[in-house]
Amino acid sequence: MPALYAKPAPPSDDKRWKIVETRMRRMGDRPAALIEALHAAQEAFGFLDESALHYVGDTLGVPHSRVYGVATFYSFFTLKPQGEHTCVVCTGTACYINGAKDILTGLERELGVKPKQTTADGKISLLTARCLGACSLAPAVIVDGEARGKVSATDLVAQLEAM
Amino acid sequence: MSEQPTAARPIRRRVITEEVHEGPVRARAFVCEAASCMSSLAHDVTLRLGEAAADAGLNDVLVKRVGCLGLCVAGPLVEIPETGQLFSNVRPDDVEGIIEALKAVKETDERQPQGAFFEKQLRVATENMGRVDPESLDDYVERSGYEALKTALAEMTSTEVREVVTRSGLRGRGGAGYPTGLKWTTVAKAAGTQKYVICNADEGDPGAFMDRSVLESDPFRVLEGMAIAAFAVHATEGYIYCRAEYPLAVARLRSAIRSAQRAGFLGTNIADTSFNFDIQIRLGAGAFVCGEETALIQSIEGKRGTPRPRPPYPAVSGLFNCPTLINNVESFASIPTILRKGADWYSAIGIGKSRGTKVFALAGRIVNTGLVEVPMGTTLREIIYDIGGGIPDGRPFKAVQTGGPSGGCIPADHLDTQVSYESLIELGSFM
Ligand SMILES: Cc1cc2nc3c(=O)[nH]c(=O)nc-3n(C[C@H](O)[C@H](O)[C@H](O)COP(=O)(O)O)c2cc1C
Ligand code: SF4
Ligand code: FES
């Protein structure tokens, strides 16, 4: 399904747009590539701003309203910039009964962040996730993409503060 | 074809061990590198063991990364398969005991039983778990991998393959338990030239990590199962829809797909026949509902994952409105073994209308958290006490939850229930 219009130019000459462009081209620049393209953009930039949503939509021939609809439907996508580091706390059943709640309370008390928030100094974003499939390590957290198991609130706060 | 490099390259400790390993292998150390153990430094253990074996001049020892050894709670785990010795909670700076044990392995040693946790299980979908390097096609082939696909392509018709699956009694392992052979037949007979095969690897239920362990430990098995299915239903394109929260599973799948393509097990003219089939990965993006098949299909099409009413069923009108076979990871993972060992072998296992085996993830307040596979009909008591080791600190058992949010909690007075699709539904729960 070749596009009937010229492909839009990337929002800026930032090299990372190349990655996004390539991923879409490999999938034939078809509307079905939307979610993969959003994954690529978020991997490259950390979050999806308006220019990313528009660029992806225009390339794939998907209306902006639908791009926005998809980006907000999936909780993995974030439209706000993230802190320097991210900490994801698993709140699935096994982690929950093994102390995920205490971890969240601890982080809120010591760092002043609630889930989906970033610390005032822009250092740490706190997120929660449903089961990470690491139940045998409950409670599990992911710090900057690396899974850690059997964590305690105190240790985690210390580690995050040291970063 | 056999000269082609198959395994993905970055297996550093293999290189380390190969330097010192010239003659035959006397002893091996298998290190679990599935996600649970990885997050407790299993990879460092592998590297360190390789170095320590080299330092000790052990030139007949192979240190190998494998998938989940099943007993995640005690990870990182190292097993010496020659003796059956299992080392738990291994630290990278504490591998001397394993080196000594490796030194002591003699040719006359026999594998010792490892206790109820291992002995009460029957492994089909997980038969290679903890035995093969998940990124090595050679390892997979050595354990009869791709025999089933080759036989199917060379000696069987699509109809015959479907008959074997039907007679085996296999039912969908994704929850609903729909007969797999029947579903395959519907797709095969549906009108249309373009057909798709989808593997549902969204695994959203909290506490469930069966599919993840299979993908991380033995990804080729899922690819082979999908290829056999594609042949049986006349599909040429496949998708694996995997949760983005499973980065290690995704990485291992990507590596396995590349190796299978290079060795001619995916792509055009598979195993030197006229059969063509290729697989792409699609990442989920954190929506539980996308495990439901119609929502999942919407998501692969790049849309919001909103379920739609059925019929039409995906088997008739699914991805891009074409007939689509969608099965769960564990369902596909059972296929190669069923074809290899036969429908009669598989259907002899089980109880009532639930044939074969089922993989369970044990999690929560239980002594042995980890992954187990048992024949259908095993009682909850055997799973929780004999295999799972019971409740920590000898506390009383209160309830077990099965089947995720669609399932329910089963109280203590039903501990002697034999697990099957029917018995769990009768108790108001779900597989
Ligand atoms: C809300 C909901 C969530 C589901 N999640 C999953 C899932 O995570 N994995 C899965 O394989 N099937 C899931 N299913 C079942 C699928 O819709 C589908 O029946 C299954 O993938 C078919 O494969 P099978 O026949 O091999 O079981 C879910 C169903 C519902 C209604
Ligand atoms: S990781 Fe395990 S414990 Fe944590 S939520 Fe997931 S399933 Fe539950
Ligand atoms: S993840 Fe290591 S034993 Fe399961």
Side-chain angles (χ1 to χ4, degrees):
Chain A
M1 212 194 292
L4 297 172
Y5 42 85
K7 270 205 219 179
S12 71
D13 49 17
D14 192 318
K15 290 243 176 358
R16 287 174 287 181
W17 290 115
K18 271 270 165 241
I19 307 172
V20 183
E21 201 228 307
T22 311
R23 183 93 73 105
M24 292 192 285
R25 186 158 34 82
R26 287 222 181 105
M27 292 181 62
D29 288 335
R30 285 177 308 170
L34 179 58
I35 292 172
E36 287 294 301
L38 295 178
H39 271 299
Q42 182 159 310
E43 263 165 47
F45 296 95
F47 74 108
L48 301 167
D49 69 3
E50 213 174 275
S51 70
L53 297 180
H54 289 182
Y55 171 58
V56 164
D58 293 345
T59 309
L60 304 177
V62 179
H64 293 179
S65 60
R66 231 193 83 204
V67 178
Y68 193 76
V70 167
T72 51
F73 177 83
Y74 293 99
S75 64
F76 199 79
F77 296 130
T78 163
L79 307 187
K80 282 185 293 190
Q82 298 292 295
E84 249 175 80
H85 303 284
T86 54
C87 174
V88 186
V89 178
C90 178
T91 53
T93 319
C95 290
Y96 194 83
I97 59 174
N98 276 303
K101 190 108 202 276
D102 298 340
I103 294 178
L104 288 176
T105 339
L107 291 179
E108 188 179 342
R109 194 178 50 233
E110 300 298 328
L111 302 177
V113 274
K114 286 188 180 162
K116 295 214 157 185
Q117 291 180 350
T118 302
T119 50
D121 59 4
K123 273 224 143 143
I124 292 156
S125 293
L126 178 62
L127 299 164
T128 54
R130 60 201 181 111
C131 182
L132 302 169
C135 315
S136 50
L137 291 175
V141 301
I142 299 184
V143 179
D144 289 339
E146 218 171 276
R148 302 186 185 179
K150 301 177 191 159
V151 294
S152 74
T154 345
D155 291 352
L156 184 63
V157 167
Q159 281 166 10
L160 291 175
E161 276 176 340
M163 288 186 7
Chain B
M1 199 178 293
S2 58
E3 267 107 50
Q4 273 174 323
T6 47
R9 280 297 97 184
I11 317 178
R12 199 142 68 85
R13 55 255 167 237
R14 274 219 153 161
V15 178
I16 291 171
T17 45
E18 266 159 23
E19 278 169 15
V20 287
H21 154 220
E22 283 134 10
V25 177
R26 178 182 48 88
R28 292 165 296 170
F30 287 179
V31 187
C32 168
E33 286 200 27
S36 175
C37 286
M38 283 285 263
S39 39
S40 41
L41 298 175
H43 186 63
D44 294 344
V45 170
T46 316
L47 294 177
R48 186 66 206 110
L49 258 181
E51 285 163 13
D55 290 347
L58 296 178
N59 56 6
D60 51 3
V61 161
L62 178 73
V63 177
K64 173 165 108 166
R65 146 185 70 188
V66 296
C68 188
L69 287 166
L71 196 58
C72 309
V73 69
L77 289 173
V78 177
E79 187 197 311
I80 300 182
E82 282 73 22
T83 58
Q85 277 163 293
L86 195 64
F87 299 82
S88 51
N89 301 307
V90 179
R91 310 245 51 105
D93 54 7
D94 177 27
V95 296
E96 273 317 301
I98 301 173
I99 295 292
E100 290 308 315
L102 283 168
K103 281 184 190 162
V105 173
K106 290 187 294 294
E107 247 171 64
T108 49
D109 278 342
E110 268 177 43
R111 195 185 162 82
Q112 297 300 312
Q114 290 175 320
F117 180 84
F118 294 96
E119 305 307 323
K120 281 230 168 180
Q121 300 192 44
L122 177 61
R123 293 182 171 259
V124 176
T126 61
E127 67 177 337
N128 287 342
M129 205 177 265
R131 306 267 76 86
V132 295
D133 177 340
E135 295 193 16
S136 164
L137 178 56
D138 291 342
D139 260 25
Y140 181 63
V141 166
E142 200 170 290
R143 288 184 58 92
S144 310
Y146 281 112
E147 267 175 27
L149 178 64
K150 284 197 261 183
T151 310
L153 295 182
E155 295 166 23
M156 296 168 82
T157 63
S158 307
T159 317
E160 283 166 350
V161 174
R162 295 198 304 271
E163 272 166 14
V164 172
V165 175
T166 305
R167 278 199 300 114
S168 76
L170 176 69
R171 291 165 62 185
R173 299 299 192 234
Y178 191 81
T180 305
L182 196 55
K183 200 191 272 188
W184 288 24
T185 304
T186 312
V187 179
K189 296 201 168 145
T193 44
Q194 177 69 60
K195 293 177 183 177
Y196 296 98
V197 168
I198 298 176
C199 173
N200 186 343
D202 196 49
E203 193 163 60
D205 298 350
F209 47 90
M210 300 85 76
D211 296 348
R212 179 175 100 162
S213 292
V214 172
L215 296 169
E216 287 175 355
S217 304
D218 198 11
F220 289 104
R221 163 176 300 272
V222 179
L223 305 186
E224 183 180 2
M226 288 179 72
I228 293 168
F231 172 69
V233 306
H234 318 295
T236 52
E237 277 181 55
Y239 289 88
I240 299 175
Y241 187 85
C242 187
R243 300 180 59 187
E245 291 92 335
Y246 286 0
L248 185 63
V250 173
R252 296 226 162 122
L253 276 172
R254 289 199 201 285
S255 153
I257 289 174
R258 273 194 306 272
S259 301
Q261 286 167 338
R262 254 183 268 140
F265 289 123
L266 278 179
T268 48
N269 300 333
I270 292 180
D272 302 319
T273 66
S274 60
F275 176 59
N276 305 330
F277 177 64
D278 218 333
I279 295 177
Q280 301 181 45
I281 297 178
R282 286 290 176 275
L283 294 185
F288 172 70
V289 70
C290 286
E292 195 280 331
E293 55 192 24
T294 60
L296 187 154
I297 286 170
Q298 302 270 326
S299 188
I300 295 184
E301 291 176 355
K303 302 175 189 154
R304 297 168 72 119
T306 357
R308 62 158 178 78
R310 302 167 303 179
Y313 284 89
V316 177
S317 175
L319 187 60
F320 304 119
N321 300 320
C322 298
T324 302
L325 172 71
I326 175 159
N327 273 133
N328 165 264
V329 170
E330 199 184 320
S331 309
F332 282 124
S334 307
I335 294 293
T337 317
I338 292 175
L339 251 72
R340 220 169 55 238
K341 298 198 176 171
D344 295 336
W345 172 82
Y346 195 77
S347 66
I349 308 163
I351 178 174
K353 287 187 183 146
S354 302
R355 309 316 307 178
T357 56
K358 176 77 189 90
V359 183
F360 289 97
L362 303 181
R365 295 242 163 98
I366 186 157
V367 172
N368 296 327
T369 53
L371 202 81
V372 305
E373 183 168 0
V374 293
M376 295 278 193
T378 305
T379 65
L380 289 171
R381 184 184 303 281
E382 286 172 296
I383 297 176
I384 293 163
Y385 283 92
D386 296 345
I387 300 175
I391 318 297
D393 311 322
R395 274 184 294 185
F397 169 86
K398 290 205 191 101
V400 55
Q401 210 265 356
T402 68
S406 337
C409 284
I410 302 172
D413 39 338
H414 293 292
L415 265 178
D416 289 308
T417 304
Q418 297 183 294
V419 294
S420 69
Y421 293 99
E422 289 72 24
S423 70
L424 291 182
I425 286 172
E426 213 166 280
L427 292 176
S429 190
F430 212 58
M431 188 62 93

